[in-house]
Amino acid sequence: MQLDELYRQVIMDHYQHPRNQGELEDGALSVDLRNPSCGDEITLQMVVQDDVVTDVRFKGSGCSISMASASMMSEAIQGKTVEEAIMLAEKFRAMMRGESVDTEELGDLEALQGVSKFPARIKCATLAWQALERASRNVDASNHSS
Ligand code: ZN
């Protein structure tokens, strides 16, 4: 099987069977984001306890790339510290810029590598990560206010 075909299957699997789809109870950090250029919408929710992402959920609608990326991200950041999650976001962005990154840590996210060749779709792939970065900033804000 061609690598491209394998990647396509991984993306379609996440799109058709999204992981961690749904909503969390009150108290979760919540971020809504849209990607107007494609019409993708996402609501990302996460619970952070002692700086660790203990739960992640997302819901939304959009193209296969945006939804698959959100699904993959939700799996990848579960159980990580906020700092590790942000580092992963940076690594993902580097991959989207076409830089060669150590893909081991990325897991299924590696399947989105090919998106870097399609500039119009990069925003689709990074939408969930943008939401993650915003939610993380809110973690800091809530820590400071308490
Ligand atoms: Zn899209």
Side-chain angles (χ1 to χ4, degrees), residues 7 37 89 92 112:
Y7 283 166
S37 62
F92 185 76
L112 291 167

Side-chain angles (χ1 to χ4, degrees), residues 35 37-40 62-67 120-121 123-125 127:
N35 169 23
S37 62
C38 178
D40 309 316
C63 66
S64 56
I65 289 172
S66 65
M67 293 298 112
R121 310 309 300 279
K123 277 186 186 165
C124 302
L127 183 67

Side-chain angles (χ1 to χ4, degrees), residues 56-85:
V56 192
R57 290 283 187 281
F58 79 95
K59 60 177 186 160
S61 60
C63 66
S64 56
I65 289 172
S66 65
M67 293 298 112
S69 183
S71 171
M72 292 171 185
M73 183 199 76
S74 72
E75 276 195 320
I77 66 169
Q78 195 101 240
K80 284 199 162 46
T81 65
V82 172
E83 198 185 345
E84 286 167 345

